[in-house]
Amino acid sequence: MSARRSVRPGSLSLVLGIAVSAVVVLPPSPAPAAPSPTDADELGTVLCSDGGITLALAADLTDATGTVTLADACSAVLDLNGRTVTVRNVVLGAGVDLTIRDGADGGTLVADATGANNVAGIQTAGATLRIESGTVTATGGRLGAGASGAGIGGVYDGAGDDEHGGTVIISGGTVTATGDSFAAGIGGSQDGDGGTVTISGGTVTATGGSGAAGAGIGGGYDGDGGDVTITGGTVTATAGGDPAEPIGRGAGTTSSSGSLTLGPREVDSTVGLVRTISFLPAPAAAAPSPVALSCAPVPMLIGSRVSCAVTGGDPGIDILWRAAYNPVFAEAGVTLDASGAGEFSFVVPRGALGAEVTVELVEWLAPVSLGVVGGPVPGSIPAGEGPVPEWSLVMLVLAGGL
């Protein structure tokens, strides 16, 4: 005979398999009402008003030669709200924290710096960019033989720090980032390290610039790979050319690969300059079991046996039940069968006459009232059918309910 698991009050957390309560999560508060900006400069100003706000766009914005600049230390949320924003580039100042999301369907941000000298599509050096949803397309620019910018990341500035990638966190959406020569798709420009890149969801396509090649995700030419963590979503990273890496260092003689941390993945393949990584979708959370309890006969009489049935539980788990009229007069464990059902019974004691009896599945259901106990009072209660003595209950629990 297989061993049965036992339960006892105070240790039921070891065997719980059923949710006993639900946490109600309220939707986020609507963004403050604000006039929808009409050009790139105004968009940056509005986002950083009062130190940073959440702005839900009310209209499309097209300013193909404009720059959205967020002032230093601004913390803001841009909700595309199903709209399309088209600008030349976005510049995040030092200490800026910008979140991009799409509260509706179809929201798109296009930052295309093609043909502009030394301009990143979204410049993140010294700042933090978070992309939660929506479609974001960012393309770095280079003019002639000049320096170039990353799709998302740095721009070349010689002795400064603007060439580095900053912090980029992607948890959802569709992100396409393309660097020009010397620059990464996501990460550094020439001499720039990749910064910190964390991807936990979404679809990300990152392509480094060719010629003096940058990484797909990581360093620009002569730039180190930085710190890259990928634990979800689908990522396609393409180096601009040898010896740059799809994820890691850029070309050049002084760069190193940096660090790469990957979660358990379904696909991880490298073909030439292209590395593709994808993950299995996260399993859906199990719905709480609809545990139910029913008892009969009701109303109860002194000395009557009450039989109770548990249904809708998780198969094979142990549940502690308790009967009381204050005080508790019976409690023990019941093991549910393969269908998630189980039965138990108790005898109503003399002391319960005129009192309300309740039965509960401890940690699952609040006490369920079975009503007030009536008569007649029998001459005797069958041996072993009355209240369970405390010492007997302890032995019963330790024996696994046998």
Side-chain angles (χ1 to χ4, degrees), residues 107-253:
T108 300
L109 169 64
V110 177
D112 187 354
T114 301
N117 189 39
N118 195 25
V119 176
I122 303 177
Q123 183 175 327
T124 58
T128 298
L129 172 67
R130 308 173 195 269
I131 301 175
E132 297 179 348
S133 55
T135 298
V136 176
T137 301
T139 305
R142 180 190 187 210
L143 180 62
S148 63
I152 298 174
V155 295
Y156 180 68
D157 71 346
D161 293 324
D162 286 347
E163 67 267 22
H164 302 307
T167 299
V168 178
I169 301 170
I170 301 171
S171 57
T174 300
V175 179
T176 302
T178 306
D180 210 321
S181 295
F182 294 91
I186 299 176
S189 181
Q190 181 176 352
D191 295 337
D193 299 338
T196 300
V197 179
T198 302
I199 300 172
S200 60
T203 300
V204 179
T205 303
T207 305
S210 59
I217 300 174
Y221 181 80
D222 267 340
D224 296 338
D227 298 314
V228 180
T229 300
I230 305 175
T231 58
T234 299
V235 177
T236 302
T238 304
D242 286 327
E245 298 171 334
I247 302 174
R249 71 186 188 94
T253 59

Side-chain angles (χ1 to χ4, degrees), residues 259-270:
S259 69
L260 172 61
T261 302
L262 298 174
R265 47 210 177 275
E266 181 182 20
V267 174
D268 186 352
S269 67
T270 301

Side-chain angles (χ1 to χ4, degrees), residues 2-379:
S2 61
R4 296 180 61 191
R5 291 164 293 164
S6 62
V7 294
R8 59 187 177 86
S11 66
L12 201 61
S13 60
L14 299 177
V15 296
L16 292 182
I18 301 173
V20 301
S21 62
V23 178
V24 179
V25 180
L26 298 176
S29 301
S36 198
T38 58
D39 59 39
D41 184 65
E42 184 182 5
L43 176 58
T45 300
V46 171
L47 280 170
C48 285
S49 58
D50 297 324
I53 66 168
T54 295
L55 173 67
L57 295 177
D60 294 344
L61 187 157
T62 301
D63 186 358
T65 61
T67 298
V68 180
T69 302
L70 277 69
D72 292 356
C74 163
S75 181
V77 177
L78 173 60
D79 182 352
L80 297 171
N81 198 30
R83 310 295 180 176
T84 298
V85 175
T86 302
V87 296
R88 185 184 73 164
N89 64 309
V90 178
V91 177
L92 307 186
V96 166
D97 192 319
L98 173 65
T99 298
I100 298 173
R101 66 170 65 124
D102 183 20
D105 291 330
T108 300
L109 169 64
V110 177
D112 187 354
T114 301
N117 189 39
N118 195 25
V119 176
I122 303 177
Q123 183 175 327
T124 58
T128 298
L129 172 67
R130 308 173 195 269
I131 301 175
E132 297 179 348
S133 55
T135 298
V136 176
T137 301
T139 305
R142 180 190 187 210
L143 180 62
S148 63
I152 298 174
V155 295
Y156 180 68
D157 71 346
D161 293 324
D162 286 347
E163 67 267 22
H164 302 307
T167 299
V168 178
I169 301 170
I170 301 171
S171 57
T174 300
V175 179
T176 302
T178 306
D180 210 321
S181 295
F182 294 91
I186 299 176
S189 181
Q190 181 176 352
D191 295 337
D193 299 338
T196 300
V197 179
T198 302
I199 300 172
S200 60
T203 300
V204 179
T205 303
T207 305
S210 59
I217 300 174
Y221 181 80
D222 267 340
D224 296 338
D227 298 314
V228 180
T229 300
I230 305 175
T231 58
T234 299
V235 177
T236 302
T238 304
D242 286 327
E245 298 171 334
I247 302 174
R249 71 186 188 94
T253 59
T254 63
S255 55
S256 63
S257 296
S259 69
L260 172 61
T261 302
L262 298 174
R265 47 210 177 275
E266 181 182 20
V267 174
D268 186 352
S269 67
T270 301
V271 179
L273 300 174
V274 182
R275 185 169 183 176
T276 302
I277 300 172
S278 64
F279 297 79
L280 290 170
S289 300
V291 178
L293 172 67
S294 61
C295 297
V298 176
M300 298 163 291
L301 301 177
I302 294 296
S304 65
R305 175 171 290 280
V306 177
S307 297
C308 298
V310 181
T311 58
D314 288 340
I317 66 167
D318 297 324
I319 293 180
L320 179 69
W321 63 268
R322 179 180 294 157
Y325 63 89
N326 195 17
V328 172
F329 64 85
E331 63 180 351
V334 57
T335 300
L336 304 190
D337 61 21
S339 68
E343 297 180 348
F344 61 89
S345 66
F346 58 88
V347 171
V348 181
R350 290 188 182 92
L353 181 63
E356 180 183 20
V357 169
T358 60
V359 178
E360 65 178 320
L361 304 181
V362 183
E363 304 291 345
W364 279 275
L365 298 176
V368 175
S369 174
L370 302 185
V372 176
V373 178
V377 179

